[in-house]
Amino acid sequence: MQLENRSIVKCIILSFVTCGIYMIIWAIKLARDAVKVKDVNDDGLLEILLTIFIPFVGCFLAERKLNEGCQAAGIDHKDNSILYLVLGLFGFSIVSFALMQNDLNKIADAGYVFAAAPQAPVAPEAPAAPVQEVPFEAVETAEEKTE
């Protein structure tokens, strides 16, 4: 997966023109991209919902996962999660979005491609024990043993 490079100015203008509707869409895209840096298979549902309803908490969690993913991939990235939390608490979520988009754009410009997290190897199934065939005549019934 490769990150999409979005114009920050365009996103901010669209957020104001659409009376905040595009800001919600932008928040969803930011949260999804930030989470996918850590794990491509993670849908980021928790971060997306929090970014929509409680933006400062959603940005905080998404930035944490972005930072963890960057560290795992060896990408130089500064953790700004506390900054996003403080900005969001004071009503400047759009600034948090712009800063996070800037970080994601830097990663996208560097050309990093993120692959799915490696899955744990599955042990092959043990072969079934061979079944020993017994001739029908050799099988004694319980009645024959008591006689």
Side-chain angles (χ1 to χ4, degrees):
M1 179 202 81
Q2 190 158 0
L3 298 176
E4 182 182 344
N5 192 335
R6 292 185 191 88
S7 169
I8 298 169
V9 174
K10 177 182 167 187
C11 290
I12 291 172
I13 291 171
L14 283 173
S15 295
F16 283 113
V17 169
T18 61
C19 299
I21 294 172
Y22 187 77
M23 190 168 154
I24 295 170
I25 295 167
W26 187 24
I28 291 169
K29 290 179 180 184
L30 279 174
R32 184 173 291 136
D33 285 351
V35 169
K36 296 264 184 212
V37 169
K38 182 178 179 194
D39 182 9
V40 176
N41 297 324
D42 189 354
D43 60 358
L45 184 61
L46 174 66
E47 289 80 6
I48 290 170
L49 290 175
L50 287 173
T51 303
I52 293 170
F53 296 110
I54 312 171
F56 57 92
V57 176
C59 281
F60 174 80
L61 293 176
E63 174 64 16
R64 289 286 227 198
K65 286 198 176 179
L66 174 63
N67 189 47
E68 290 172 10
C70 286
Q71 286 179 351
I75 301 169
D76 185 35
H77 176 72
K78 181 183 174 205
D79 184 9
N80 295 318
S81 55
I82 301 298
L83 174 65
Y84 297 163
L85 186 65
V86 171
L87 285 170
L89 283 171
F90 289 106
F92 296 107
S93 294
I94 196 160
V95 176
S96 298
F97 294 167
L99 291 172
M100 186 181 288
Q101 186 64 61
N102 186 46
D103 289 344
L104 289 169
N105 285 347
K106 286 178 186 175
I107 295 170
D109 288 341
Y112 289 103
V113 177
F114 301 94
Q119 301 294 323
V122 178
E125 291 185 24
V131 178
Q132 185 178 15
E133 292 186 25
V134 179
F136 182 72
E137 295 81 32
V139 178
E140 295 181 29
T141 63
E143 292 175 5
E144 293 174 358
K145 284 187 177 179
T146 58
E147 290 178 2

